Amino acid sequence: MSTKPFAISEDWVVVILGLAIIILALSGVIIPKPSFSWADSAALTNKVLSFDNLKIIGAQFGLVYITAIVGAVLLRKDLKALLIVFPIVMILTVIALIIAGNETVKNYNLEAVIFSLAIGLIISNCFKLPLWFKDALSTELYVKIGLVLLGTTVIFGDILKAGSLGLIQALLVVVSVWYFAYWVCRKLKIDKEMSLMLSSAVSICGVSAAIATSGAIKGDTKKLSYVISLVLITAIPMMIFMPYLAEWMNLPQEVTGAWLGGSIDTTGAVVASGSLVGEEALKISTIVKFSQNVLLGIAAFFISIYWTYSKSVDDETKKDKPTLKLIWDRFPKFVVGFVFVSLMFSFIVSPEANNMVKDSLKSIQGLWFALAFTSIGLETNFKDLFKQDNKKPLYAFIVAQTFNIVVTLMIAMALFG
């Protein structure tokens, strides 16, 4: 009789935790969306830092803290370190949310995740964090929970109402950019694991695609963190300057929205840049980005098949027989959760129930993403990004992203112009 303890994979834990948060909300446990908007010190004190608002922030903290603890228990991680580290990450994240809520900052469309990342990077690059602290940072867990919750906003009907153009563009961009990025990586003799993660990140949907690909091939965490850092760092200037470039080019809002949605890798940055242009651009950019998100599961499935049958993977993988079970084992289960939640909110949850919980769930989803980006910053050291050995992936990413911007613009003009 086997004495091996029962264990649940991180992806299934994410699905369980994400669905638990959603079911709680649908059952009536709804935490209001806290306010972080302020224009001056008086508004900051009387509104953001008011007792009532702090209670709401505290309630959100309680929810995510308990969720993180349950996740750590299910994954058999060091609970003692988490109990210390998570509140620190939360405090830093709240500071980022407050900074992003300033009226002047909002005028520049700078999101909280940017400040979360920046605060984490400043701390990690100015101070040497102990290993136990970094080991307690569950970046992938936080991002994946946020992605499952993101499914509550990816309504299939909204995509269909916009016609098939968004899906057509998403398919054309993903296929063409992915193959070009992979070709560049292989020409630069970048290892296959890094090449797959980088190509998916550039072509599909940034962080979530990199995570899905890493899960599909059981990728190295350090390589994944490197790709995620590249995605987030390049998303910032793209998010800020592309809307102004579109205005200089006198592009219609529909074309601009399709361009932004297909080029910028992170969903939050797409929403921010689309808002800067206008309502129509925001709608189209969101639909195009969501269309790429829908393709995430399909891409992860085929990457799983490719990796399993590849002849040039590591020795351990070569020993595994290429069976459907192995492919399923490598398939990122959190994608299943994302699709399930999307279908659930598209066809099962009533519009009335959706209206009751959507603001709360969207706020909590944003909080998980912000927590993840704070953690990424705390894990990342710029010295690691620019080491000699890491320059080739950096060059490949820049070349592939440039190709992505140009090709996506051409496709957007052809379909939406």
Side-chain angles (χ1 to χ4, degrees):
M1 183 175 177
S2 174
T3 58
K4 184 178 180 180
F6 176 74
I8 309 175
S9 70
E10 182 176 90
D11 277 358
W12 280 126
V13 168
V14 165
V15 173
I16 293 169
L17 297 177
L19 287 176
I21 292 172
I22 293 169
I23 291 170
L24 278 174
L26 291 173
S27 301
V29 183
I30 301 172
I31 300 175
K33 178 181 178 181
S35 174
F36 290 102
S37 300
W38 58 284
D40 50 39
S41 58
L44 175 62
T45 303
N46 299 326
K47 187 177 180 182
V48 178
L49 299 180
S50 68
F51 179 71
D52 289 339
N53 199 57
L54 289 177
K55 280 199 305 182
I56 297 174
I57 296 173
Q60 279 197 340
F61 169 68
L63 177 63
V64 295
Y65 196 22
I66 292 171
T67 303
I69 291 171
V70 173
V73 171
L74 292 174
L75 293 170
R76 301 179 181 276
K77 290 189 174 182
D78 183 1
L79 192 57
K80 188 176 181 180
L82 175 71
L83 292 174
I84 298 171
V85 172
F86 192 91
I88 296 173
V89 175
M90 180 68 184
I91 291 170
L92 297 176
T93 302
V94 170
I95 292 172
L97 289 166
I98 293 174
I99 295 172
N102 179 261
E103 188 176 291
T104 303
V105 173
K106 280 185 175 182
N107 290 335
Y108 290 97
N109 290 288
L110 299 177
E111 289 192 289
V113 292
I114 296 174
F115 296 102
S116 295
L117 177 65
I119 290 172
L121 286 171
I122 291 170
I123 293 173
S124 66
N125 285 272
C126 293
F127 304 95
K128 186 174 182 179
L129 298 176
L131 184 60
W132 64 266
F133 187 99
K134 290 191 174 184
D135 287 342
L137 298 170
S138 300
T139 301
E140 289 189 49
L141 184 76
Y142 305 156
V143 171
K144 289 176 181 178
I145 293 174
L147 288 170
V148 172
L149 295 179
L150 178 63
T152 63
T153 63
V154 182
I155 308 302
F156 279 72
D158 292 340
I159 296 175
L160 295 176
K161 285 177 186 177
S164 59
L165 295 181
L167 287 169
I168 293 172
Q169 173 176 315
L171 185 61
L172 292 174
V173 168
V174 167
V175 172
S176 59
V177 175
W178 193 96
Y179 276 103
F180 177 81
Y182 189 73
W183 175 79
V184 171
C185 288
R186 300 308 289 159
K187 283 291 183 183
L188 291 176
K189 301 187 185 304
I190 297 170
D191 68 86
K192 189 167 290 188
E193 185 179 329
M194 175 69 84
S195 298
L196 288 169
M197 286 190 281
L198 191 148
S199 301
S200 297
V202 173
S203 62
I204 306 175
C205 47
V207 172
S208 53
I211 292 173
T213 302
S214 178
I217 64 176
K218 295 185 177 179
D220 181 86
T221 304
K222 290 183 179 179
K223 292 179 182 178
L224 175 62
S225 297
Y226 179 85
V227 173
I228 289 175
S229 299
L230 287 177
V231 169
L232 294 174
I233 290 170
T234 56
I236 296 171
M238 290 176 67
M239 177 186 72
I240 296 172
F241 295 114
M242 284 186 66
Y244 296 107
L245 182 59
E247 182 180 5
W248 177 74
M249 297 171 66
N250 199 28
L251 297 177
Q253 282 205 28
E254 293 83 355
V255 175
T256 302
W259 187 31
L260 298 174
S263 300
I264 300 176
D265 291 323
T266 63
T267 303
V270 167
V271 173
S273 60
S275 302
L276 186 61
V277 179
E279 186 175 341
E280 187 66 20
L282 174 61
K283 183 181 77 172
I284 298 297
S285 65
T286 303
I287 289 174
V288 169
K289 180 51 63 181
F290 283 171
S291 299
Q292 289 182 320
N293 289 337
V294 170
L295 294 175
L296 176 59
I298 300 173
F301 177 75
F302 282 109
I303 289 171
S304 296
I305 295 176
Y306 169 77
W307 187 252
T308 302
Y309 282 83
S310 175
K311 294 181 180 179
S312 57
V313 295
D314 56 68
D315 292 335
E316 182 181 348
T317 307
K318 287 180 183 179
K319 295 177 184 178
D320 296 329
K321 294 181 180 180
T323 62
L324 289 175
K325 181 181 181 302
L326 181 60
I327 293 170
W328 171 247
D329 289 341
R330 292 172 183 272
F331 186 81
K333 308 305 186 302
F334 77 91
V335 176
V336 176
F338 167 82
V339 173
F340 175 79
V341 169
S342 181
L343 291 171
M344 178 180 165
F345 273 74
S346 295
F347 304 111
I348 299 176
V349 176
S350 67
E352 294 78 15
N354 189 10
N355 287 334
M356 287 178 60
V357 303
K358 66 179 182 180
D359 288 342
S360 173
L361 289 177
K362 187 174 181 180
S363 177
I364 294 169
Q365 169 210 312
L367 177 58
W368 280 115
F369 283 144
L371 288 166
F373 294 157
T374 302
S375 301
I376 290 171
L378 292 170
E379 290 176 329
T380 303
N381 193 301
F382 279 121
K383 293 178 182 177
D384 296 331
L385 288 177
F386 298 102
K387 283 182 179 177
Q388 182 65 33
D389 292 342
N390 286 331
K391 285 187 177 180
K392 284 186 178 180
L394 174 63
Y395 298 152
F397 190 89
I398 293 172
V399 171
Q401 193 63 275
T402 303
F403 178 83
N404 181 21
I405 292 171
V406 175
V407 168
T408 304
L409 176 59
M410 293 171 63
I411 294 174
M413 292 178 69
L415 292 176
F416 292 88

